[in-house]
């Protein structure tokens, strides 16, 4: 992915030097726990099974020291965020005749607060529809690669794009409608709607990737394979299987590996918002 030396976004709120706590200790270890929970929140996966075997507690250690890797990750996120702004502005104008209002991305290290609750390196990155901000601890790129085998800069860009895709859903009114409907549903029905939300975000990420390739020219050979690999690695079935459990479809809340890969590909191939309507699909 061609990102170095390119202009970043102005919609970055950097809280990394404001202090914080929350390093994981014990159980599967700090890096492992953060990696597991990062995937859970950032990519939308129920990672509870991965925690059952080792546990893990959050200590009170505070650290605000920024490494060179932290700074590079922040630069990468800023450039990727700028790309999402450029692309979604174009998509909204071309396909909807509307203006896109970008999200703010909050960088933090250790812990911070949001209207949707506390964020920490253990809870992982997430999108909060209340303040329309995405929250991200810059440590997650390393753990994404080491713990789950989703390496490569475009794999990281894909997960950023996925989180911003939830903002796109929020801007379109999809997220609020879906979450409101879930409140009156049974657990199994609610889980299925959750899967639809996440798969649509994957499809939107595919649209972003297609535009990045054609309009920005930032995708290099092997980049799409990195994104598809990331989609496979964070499927509900794969995570449960890797945790030594038999996959339980009734507990899936974000889709199987095959589904996540398929919907990403659909978005990339068609590049049309209407083709990402997981809520009307006869088959996910």
């Amino acid at each position: 992915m061609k990102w170095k030396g390119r202009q970043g976004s102005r919609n970055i709120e950097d809280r990394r030097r404001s202090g914080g706590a929350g390093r994981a200790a014990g159980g599967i270890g700090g890096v492992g726990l953060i990696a597991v929970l990062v995937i859970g929140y950032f990519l939308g996966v129920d990672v509870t099974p991965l925690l059952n075997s080792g546990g893990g507690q959050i200590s009170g250690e505070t650290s605000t020291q920024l490494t060179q890797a932290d700074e590079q990750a922040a630069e990468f996120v800023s450039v990727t965020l700028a790309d999402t702004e450029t692309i979604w502005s174009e998509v909204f104008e071309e396909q909807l005749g509307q203006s896109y209002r970008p999200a703010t991305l909050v960088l933090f290290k250790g812990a911070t607060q949001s209207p949707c609750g506390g964020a920490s390196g253990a809870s992982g990155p997430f999108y909060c529809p209340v303040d329309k901000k995405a929250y991200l601890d810059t440590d997650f790129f390393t753990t994404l690669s080491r713990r789950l085998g989703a390496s490569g800069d475009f794999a990281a860009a894909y997960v950023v794009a996925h989180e911003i895709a939830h903002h796109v859903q929020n801007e379109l009114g999809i997220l609020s409608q879906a979450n409101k409907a879930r409140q009156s549903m049974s657990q199994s029905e609610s889980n299925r709607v959750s899967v639809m939300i996440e798969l649509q975000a994957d499809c939107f990420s595919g649209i972003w990737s297609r535009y990045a390739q054609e309009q920005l020219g930032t995708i290099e050979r092997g980049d799409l394979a990195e994104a598809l690999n990331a989609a496979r690695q964070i499927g509900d079935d794969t995570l449960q299987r890797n945790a030594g459990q038999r996959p339980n479809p009734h507990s899936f809340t974000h889709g199987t590996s095959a589904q996540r890969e398929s919907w990403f590909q659909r978005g990339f191939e068609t590049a049309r918002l209407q083709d990402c309507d997981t809520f009307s699909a006869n088959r996910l």
Side-chain angles (χ1 to χ4, degrees), residues 51-280:
L51 302 180
N52 291 338
S53 61
Q57 301 296 324
I58 305 300
S59 72
E61 180 183 355
T62 300
S63 173
T64 56
Q65 181 179 359
L66 300 183
T67 66
Q68 183 177 357
D70 289 327
E71 298 293 12
Q72 182 169 328
E75 181 183 356
F76 174 83
V77 169
S78 180
V79 171
T80 303
L81 182 63
D83 285 352
T84 67
E85 293 164 356
T86 298
I87 289 169
W88 284 114
S89 292
E90 184 172 345
V91 172
F92 269 50
E93 182 177 353
E94 288 182 350
Q95 299 188 28
L96 302 173
Q98 300 177 13
S99 296
Y100 172 69
R101 295 175 295 182
T104 295
L105 194 148
V106 177
L107 292 175
F108 69 92
K109 189 173 178 67
T112 192
Q113 292 294 320
S114 83
C116 295
S120 73
S123 65
F126 63 93
Y127 174 71
C128 179
V130 178
D131 60 2
K132 299 184 178 182
K133 294 180 179 180
Y135 291 78
L136 167 64
D137 187 327
T138 53
D139 286 341
F140 97 96
F141 289 119
T142 299
T143 55
L144 175 69
S145 175
R146 291 181 180 177
R147 177 71 181 179
L148 293 160
S151 60
D153 52 10
F154 202 72
Y158 154 67
V159 297
V160 173
H162 178 98
E163 207 60 45
I164 295 302
H166 285 309
H167 175 68
V168 172
Q169 291 174 312
N170 197 38
E171 287 295 291
L172 296 176
I174 297 171
L175 198 57
S176 59
Q177 292 178 17
N179 285 330
K180 182 179 180 180
R182 292 174 64 195
Q183 296 176 4
S184 59
M185 293 179 175
S186 66
Q187 187 62 55
S188 61
E189 292 173 332
S190 177
N191 286 350
R192 181 169 175 77
V193 172
S194 178
V195 169
M196 294 175 183
I197 292 172
E198 294 300 330
L199 294 181
Q200 185 179 64
D202 282 330
C203 190
F204 285 173
S205 299
I207 293 177
W208 171 82
S209 300
R210 174 70 173 271
Y211 273 73
Q213 181 185 65
E214 295 188 349
Q215 306 296 331
L216 303 181
T218 57
I219 294 183
E220 300 176 300
R221 177 177 295 182
D223 282 346
L224 289 178
E226 292 176 1
L228 291 171
N229 175 60
R232 287 192 298 270
Q233 296 301 327
I234 47 78
D236 285 324
D237 55 338
T238 296
L239 285 176
Q240 290 184 1
R241 190 176 295 110
N242 289 343
Q245 299 183 7
R246 177 179 295 178
N248 178 11
H250 295 293
S251 68
F252 293 171
T253 55
H254 303 87
T256 66
S257 294
Q259 287 173 329
R260 303 199 76 161
E261 183 178 8
S262 175
W263 280 97
F264 176 88
Q265 285 183 310
R266 178 180 298 198
F268 181 81
E269 291 171 359
T270 72
R272 296 185 302 183
L273 288 168
Q274 65 188 43
D275 292 326
C276 293
D277 186 3
T278 54
F279 300 92
S280 298

